[in-house]
Amino acid sequence: GVALALVALALCACGRSGDRQAVRDAAVQFYAAVDRHDGARACALLSADTRKALEEQESESCDKAVESLDLMGGPVGSVSVYSANAAVELRGGDTVFLQDTKEGWRIAAAGCRPSGHEEPADCDLEA
């Protein structure tokens, strides 16, 4: 019984580590795509709800709308994974929030910066 529990624990840890890398990669690839003006790639990394919200907010297609984002990227400072949600803090000042979807980890909010002590983060892009 103990051996089986240890194997199960090890498998969970591997999945968690893989999630951390997938989350990190999605955030880095999104910021790189926006920086390169590769709207199609950037939009492919957004959750469906976030993509729709961006198109409605900017009144244009996602691949054009992402160019209006005011993002402050930089190297990854930290990655946190909580079940089906995650956060990536970038040293340039932004935090990126992701959700685990059937397509994999997708950006739920980006360009998020603290807005005050008790206030939630203010995000340039969110659903």
Side-chain angles (χ1 to χ4, degrees):
V2 172
L4 186 57
L6 289 175
V7 169
L9 183 61
L11 290 174
C12 289
C14 291
R16 195 75 157 174
S17 171
D19 284 345
R20 288 176 55 82
Q21 188 62 48
V23 163
R24 175 189 203 101
D25 290 349
V28 168
Q29 290 171 19
F30 175 75
Y31 273 68
V34 170
D35 192 49
R36 288 191 316 268
H37 303 286
D38 184 352
R41 178 65 183 140
C43 291
L45 292 163
L46 296 176
S47 72
D49 290 342
T50 304
R51 190 171 36 251
K52 181 180 176 186
L54 177 62
E55 290 174 339
E56 289 174 0
Q57 176 185 338
E58 298 298 323
S59 299
E60 58 187 350
S61 66
C62 182
D63 59 335
K64 298 284 186 218
V66 293
E67 294 183 17
S68 68
L69 297 175
D70 181 26
L71 302 178
M72 292 186 279
V76 172
S78 68
V79 177
S80 303
V81 177
Y82 312 97
S83 185
N85 297 298
V88 176
E89 292 183 25
L90 302 174
R91 292 197 178 123
D94 284 359
T95 298
V96 184
F97 295 98
L98 300 95
Q99 55 192 180
D100 193 9
T101 70
K102 60 185 174 187
E103 293 84 25
W105 287 98
R106 295 293 182 262
I107 309 293
C112 301
R113 295 168 205 101
S115 59
H117 282 297
E118 299 297 320
E119 301 296 319
D122 181 29
C123 300
D124 200 44
L125 168 65
E126 63 185 319

